[in-house]
Amino acid sequence: MTTTDHSTELNPSDPGGQTATLVIDKKTKRRVAAASTIGTTIEFYDFYAYAAAAVVVFPSLFFPANDNPTVNLLASFATFGLAFVARPLGSIIFGHFGDRVGRKATLIGSLLTMGIATILIGLLPTYGQVGIIAPALLALMRFCQGLGLGGEWSGAALLAGENAENTHRARAAMWPQLGAPFGFFLANGFMLILVGVLAHQDGDLHGAFMTWGWRLPFLSSAIMIAVGLWVRFSLEETPVFKQAVDQGKKVKSPLKELFKTSPGPVVQATLIMLSTYTLFYLVTTWILSYGIGNRSTGNGLSIPYFEFLQLQLATIVFFAIMIPVSGWLADVWGRKNTLTLASVLLLGFGLTFNLLLDPETATKTTVFIFLFVGMSIMGLIFGPMSAILPELFPTNVRYTGSGIAYNVSSILGAAIAPFIATWLVSEFSVAYVGYYLIIVTAITFVAVLTMKENKNHDLREV
């Protein structure tokens, strides 16, 4: 039998020829892996460039009206969280077209939405130049970033998962997950280079970095967007979606159909993803603000920004390494077993916050251990999500369903996590941030225990 880019062959175990096994050639696998990884890398790069700036740039340049640095930081985090409010809306908008028009065209639209907003952030005037208009424009661009990312993840996950054989789906679907550590590494690595080259010092508001250097990561996104568009225009539609179209299984209103047929999976998928989001934004965004915060007040560890970025970049490697490991485990050992292990480890990790991050005893070594453990667990729990969430939904509402669950969870887990953690440290101690993570993980653990094992599930079922 001769295979094309998207080909099927009859399962030998089915003499009646009723069951077809999807077979994808190696060239298409490589192209899909590249497209899904590059796209999510760009999207997460844009997102994390904002996250880094939300800690060290925006509180001073866009929210300087209050003399209290903590209040300014919380205001910046509130704007940071605005994108998470927009993400479910983005998943509805892009999910509608993803389930109606197709995965490919929708992914191009989400990439453009996110990318253009990021470039415009690099061109915004500051508070000192235009007053209150500056944070208002920043909030608008952040909202648009959220819309784009809201449609990106589920489309990339479907692009990878719907182009994979059932027995290797978690390993194939892990490629878009690598966009998270890759994007983080690029965004923060760029910031690290700028801080070093421009000789930025903490608290210096008039140096080259704070004057114009911080804009470069946002403006440079234009180059990455061009590459991402070129790769995605070369793709074909997924065979699973093509089959649904050929069978007349598309629905006029995916959102209406979703809540008619699959309300339970929406809730379950949202809760399954909850601890993943909370963990990630604690060990990336919040820990950065805490690490460079004032140790004498008990609200930080007084580690210089440049040195702390080095710690984060060194440990993000373990996040990336654990993603393919978790994809392999999810295919061989099962989705449920892999998430159960990750949840147990995460519950234990929540008990280490005071031990490793207490302002009176913490060192750069203990912070490195904290980040190493947190990032490793993050890779283990995040890696199989791009297979697990889509598997809970039928083809004709899969883009919408997985996107809504993923992004509603971002509000409950990620949007408020840096804000709550900063408040807990200010009012109580860093140990309470760990307790907060334990509570969230316990909720996810219950959802994991109630899920079905879907490692042999056929995504072509509508």
Side-chain angles (χ1 to χ4, degrees):
M1 175 179 176
T2 301
T3 61
T4 57
D5 276 358
H6 299 311
S7 58
T8 61
E9 62 181 15
L10 295 180
N11 189 331
S13 66
D14 181 15
Q18 299 300 313
T19 303
T21 301
L22 189 66
V23 177
I24 310 297
D25 67 66
K26 292 182 178 180
K27 180 180 178 181
T28 300
K29 288 180 179 179
R30 290 193 297 266
R31 188 183 301 164
V32 168
S36 58
T37 306
I38 290 173
T40 52
T41 297
I42 295 169
E43 299 278 3
F44 281 109
Y45 167 86
D46 292 349
F47 217 68
Y48 300 147
Y50 189 101
V55 174
V56 297
V57 176
F58 297 151
S60 299
L61 298 186
F62 286 83
F63 302 96
N66 196 297
D67 293 333
N68 188 329
T70 300
V71 173
N72 293 338
L73 178 61
L74 289 175
S76 182
F77 276 157
T79 309
F80 172 77
L82 183 62
F84 294 97
V85 177
R87 283 170 66 165
L89 179 59
S91 67
I92 293 172
I93 296 172
F94 289 105
H96 175 85
F97 292 104
D99 285 325
R100 287 284 299 159
V101 178
R103 308 338 189 185
K104 174 182 174 179
T106 306
L107 277 169
I108 292 172
S110 67
L111 182 61
L112 283 173
T113 302
M114 180 81 175
I116 292 172
T118 302
I119 294 169
L120 290 177
I121 288 175
L123 299 172
L124 289 180
T126 64
Y127 186 92
Q129 294 170 321
V130 296
I132 196 66
I133 296 176
L137 290 174
L138 181 64
L140 177 61
M141 293 303 102
R142 183 60 175 167
F143 187 86
C144 292
Q145 276 192 318
L147 287 178
L149 190 56
E152 168 64 27
W153 179 86
S154 51
L158 267 57
L159 178 67
E162 290 183 347
N163 275 294
E165 296 91 342
N166 291 345
T167 55
H168 290 74
R169 188 164 54 242
R171 277 168 280 189
M174 69 89 187
W175 286 106
Q177 303 302 80
L178 284 171
F182 288 174
F184 183 91
F185 190 88
L186 289 174
N188 286 277
F190 200 167
M191 285 287 188
L192 180 67
I193 292 171
L194 287 172
V195 168
V197 171
L198 300 179
H200 173 67
Q201 299 294 324
D202 296 345
D204 179 12
L205 301 181
H206 304 290
F209 176 77
M210 293 296 284
T211 303
W212 55 268
W214 68 269
R215 299 179 183 274
L216 296 181
F218 297 96
L219 298 176
S220 298
S221 180
I223 301 173
M224 301 177 67
I225 293 166
V227 174
L229 289 174
W230 174 71
V231 173
R232 287 191 170 177
F233 272 117
S234 68
L235 293 175
E236 295 184 14
E237 189 53 78
T238 72
V240 173
F241 182 79
K242 283 183 177 180
Q243 178 178 295
V245 173
D246 293 341
Q247 295 177 349
K249 298 297 185 180
K250 288 196 304 181
V251 292
K252 292 183 178 179
S253 176
L255 183 64
K256 181 179 178 181
E257 182 72 11
L258 173 68
F259 286 103
K260 178 182 177 181
T261 62
S262 308
V266 172
V267 175
Q268 186 178 49
T270 299
L271 297 180
I272 287 173
M273 191 69 198
L274 184 62
S275 64
T276 307
Y277 261 126
T278 304
L279 171 65
F280 186 68
Y281 282 89
L282 288 181
V283 297
T284 56
T285 304
W286 167 75
I287 191 62
L288 175 59
S289 65
Y290 180 76
I292 66 175
N294 194 329
R295 185 187 291 259
S296 63
T297 64
N299 293 327
L301 303 178
S302 294
I303 300 175
Y305 177 58
F306 186 80
E307 294 179 15
F308 198 90
L309 276 182
Q310 290 177 313
L311 292 174
Q312 282 196 311
L313 291 176
T315 53
I316 200 75
V317 173
F318 299 99
F319 177 18
I321 290 173
M322 290 303 297
I323 286 177
V325 171
S326 67
W328 179 83
L329 283 174
D331 274 336
V332 176
W333 195 29
R335 279 65 159 143
K336 190 170 182 176
N337 287 336
T338 303
L339 290 188
T340 297
L341 171 62
S343 296
V344 171
L345 292 175
L346 195 51
L347 289 171
F349 179 63
L351 298 174
T352 68
F353 277 60
N354 193 57
L355 176 66
L356 299 174
L357 300 179
D358 187 289
E360 295 185 2
T361 58
T363 64
K364 283 191 287 187
T365 299
T366 64
V367 172
F368 179 86
I369 294 172
F370 173 86
L371 291 172
F372 161 72
V373 175
M375 291 293 188
S376 299
I377 298 175
M378 182 64 204
L380 184 63
I381 198 170
F382 184 64
M385 286 298 178
S386 53
I388 292 170
L389 267 59
E391 287 169 351
L392 297 174
F393 301 94
T395 303
N396 55 359
V397 296
R398 184 170 294 132
Y399 201 126
T400 304
S402 60
I404 288 177
Y406 182 85
N407 290 299
V408 168
S409 182
S410 75
I411 296 178
L412 302 176
I416 61 175
F419 193 97
I420 289 178
T422 300
W423 178 80
L424 286 173
V425 171
S426 177
E427 295 297 321
F428 302 99
S429 72
V430 72
Y432 283 80
V433 181
Y435 303 151
Y436 163 55
L437 179 60
I438 289 173
I439 292 172
V440 171
T441 302
I443 296 172
T444 287
F445 201 5
V446 172
V448 169
L449 293 176
T450 61
M451 69 178 283
K452 295 180 179 179
E453 179 53 65
N454 287 321
K455 72 173 185 175
N456 296 317
H457 178 60
D458 191 342
L459 286 185
R460 289 169 293 166
E461 296 178 7
V462 181

